[in-house]
């Protein structure tokens, strides 16, 4: 298997460009799913406090016997735990459930603009970074206006903004802002939870490379420079989504996929989720 490429984050930490997501996987099934992913070769795992499966992730990590240094673990602070008083306790609870001394990346899950707490919360993440209990900090679902507000009021540029991103929601303006400011773009629901896998150009391009539509879409993310974290509980798909280094999309393929952008969200709008 070809090695998964790394992305160097703005603080020098390296992160695998292709990882494994566990949203909507029940805790009891998560250990098997993550064990299958680690067995297949994934080393980056994306969870969140709200997924309720950090214990399942932690058990798989522990059972794997893999050196901690080989793993890249991301978790996220849930909306109800924003604010100075709650954020630290929420982080402690996540570490405890994961059974880890530190995480690699800690994210604010949503800006929840109406709560108006993310600047205060991000300052707690800065303290966690300083203490070494997370190796990088970032955000998720932040809009350009939210990122600008952080820039004006805090000291550490987020290493990552994890956003909904797939061929039907390409987020070009936000991606350009990230590129200008040294923020890595991480794509959630990279397969649009399956919604783009029957799109005609995707099916055709996949056939022309003798790969599945999902493999084609993962490859599109990698060639676009995104960090990508497809989820599957199906062992064959878990392996398949990693087997994307034996073909390359042409400029014509990339242009055809550019034409599929249609502002289709599978998840909530960050401006209104509170
Ligand atoms: P994905 O876009 O990764 O799609 C997952 C769906 O696609 C599942 O139904 C899965 O089925 C199916 N699938 C996976 N691989 C294949 C394949 N090779 N062929 C056909 N179907 C396939 O959706 P997610 O929403 O899970 O997003 C990925 C990750 O992003 C999450 O797990 C989570 O870690 C993160 N995320 C973050 C959010 C945030 O707010 N920060 C929000 C949502 C997600 P099956 O499992 O049955 O095989």
């Amino acid at each position: 298997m070809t090695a998964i490429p790394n992305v160097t984050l703005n603080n020098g930490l390296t992160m695998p460009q292709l990882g494994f997501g566990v949203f909507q996987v029940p805790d009891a099934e998560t250990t098997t799913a993550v064990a299958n992913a680690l067995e297949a070769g994934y080393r980056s795992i994306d969870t969140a406090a709200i997924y309720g499966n950090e214990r399942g992730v932690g058990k798989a990590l522990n059972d794997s016997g893999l050196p901690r240094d080989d793993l890249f673990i991301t978790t996220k602070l849930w909306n109800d735990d924003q604010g100075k008083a709650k954020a630290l306790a929420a982080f402690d609870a996540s570490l405890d459930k994961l059974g880890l001394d530190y995480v690699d990346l800690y994210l604010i899950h949503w800006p929840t603009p109406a709560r108006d707490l993310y600047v205060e919360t991000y300052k707690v993440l800065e303290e966690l970074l300083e203490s070494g209990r997370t190796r990088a900090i970032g955000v998720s679902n932040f809009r350009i206006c939210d990122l600008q507000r952080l820039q004006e009021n805090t000291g550490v540029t987020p290493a990552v903004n994890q956003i909904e991103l797939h061929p039907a929601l390409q987020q070009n303006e936000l991606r350009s802002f990230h590129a200008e400011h040294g923020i890595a773009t991480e794509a959630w629901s990279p397969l649009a939870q399956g919604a783009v896998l029957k799109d005609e150009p995707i099916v055709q391009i996949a056939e022309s490379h003798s790969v599945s539509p999902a493999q084609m879409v993962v490859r599109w993310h990698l060639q676009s420079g995104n960090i990508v974290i497809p989820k599957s509980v199906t062992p064959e798909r878990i392996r398949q989504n990693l087997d994307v280094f034996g073909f390359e999309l042409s400029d014509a393929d990339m242009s055809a996929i550019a034409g599929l952008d249609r502002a289709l969200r599978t998840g909530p709008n960050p401006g209104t989720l509170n």
Side-chain angles (χ1 to χ4, degrees):
M1 194 191 67
T2 315
I4 299 170
N6 279 321
V7 167
T8 302
L9 304 178
N10 61 16
N11 67 350
L13 186 67
T14 56
M15 174 174 187
Q17 198 186 354
L18 174 52
F20 184 70
V22 295
F23 177 43
Q24 291 176 322
V25 185
D27 198 29
E29 290 167 39
T30 300
T31 303
T32 304
V34 173
N36 286 335
L38 295 172
E39 170 74 27
Y42 295 82
R43 291 295 177 265
S44 167
I45 309 293
D46 182 85
T47 184
I50 194 68
Y51 300 170
N53 57 19
E54 289 169 311
R55 276 190 206 287
V57 171
K59 181 162 176 9
L61 301 178
N62 189 49
D63 292 352
S64 75
L66 287 165
R68 177 66 184 88
D69 278 0
D70 289 2
L71 300 166
F72 191 103
I73 309 304
T74 302
T75 194
K76 314 183 194 87
L77 178 84
W78 185 240
N79 304 342
D80 293 340
D81 291 320
Q82 284 207 33
K84 193 169 168 54
K86 289 187 183 167
L88 206 51
F91 178 80
D92 286 342
S94 284
L95 265 197
D96 182 56
K97 287 180 183 154
L98 287 162
L100 298 175
D101 300 329
Y102 66 91
V103 291
D104 297 280
L105 178 62
Y106 196 48
L107 305 178
I108 298 179
H109 206 144
W110 290 89
T112 62
R115 295 181 191 232
D116 196 19
L117 283 171
Y118 65 72
V119 169
E120 180 183 318
T121 306
Y122 194 78
K123 290 179 180 169
V124 177
L125 268 61
E126 290 181 321
E127 286 170 25
L128 290 167
L129 179 68
E130 183 67 28
S131 74
R133 298 173 80 210
T134 181
R135 297 173 77 200
I137 56 174
V139 292
S140 178
N141 300 303
F142 274 44
R143 305 160 297 171
I144 290 176
C145 59
D146 302 317
L147 294 168
Q148 284 170 330
R149 215 174 139 210
L150 282 189
Q151 279 178 331
E152 283 156 20
N153 294 286
T154 67
V156 178
T157 302
V160 166
N161 188 14
Q162 185 185 110
I163 54 172
E164 181 174 355
L165 171 53
H166 44 70
L169 181 69
Q170 298 190 16
Q171 303 261 29
N172 289 327
E173 198 186 341
L174 188 49
R175 288 179 64 244
S176 297
F177 184 89
H178 292 166
E180 265 170 52
H181 296 275
I183 302 168
T185 300
E186 183 171 19
W188 66 252
S189 292
L191 309 174
Q193 299 194 338
V196 295
L197 299 182
K198 291 200 168 78
D199 280 11
E200 197 44 49
I202 289 182
V203 172
Q204 274 174 9
I205 296 166
E207 271 174 14
S208 75
H209 292 281
S210 304
V211 296
S212 73
Q215 285 173 304
M216 201 237 76
V217 173
V218 172
R219 181 75 209 179
W220 171 79
H221 281 288
L222 296 174
Q223 287 186 216
S224 303
N226 304 330
I227 299 167
V228 57
I229 46 170
K231 168 265 176 187
S232 176
V233 291
T234 314
E236 166 52 26
R237 290 173 171 176
I238 290 173
R239 285 191 294 273
Q240 193 192 98
N241 295 343
L242 200 60
D243 183 14
V244 292
F245 299 101
F247 68 104
E248 193 165 347
L249 301 175
S250 66
D251 291 346
D253 295 337
M254 295 297 281
S255 306
I257 302 163
L260 297 176
D261 194 11
R262 54 187 184 274
L264 175 86
R265 284 189 188 275
T266 65
N269 187 320
T272 52
L273 183 98
N274 290 292

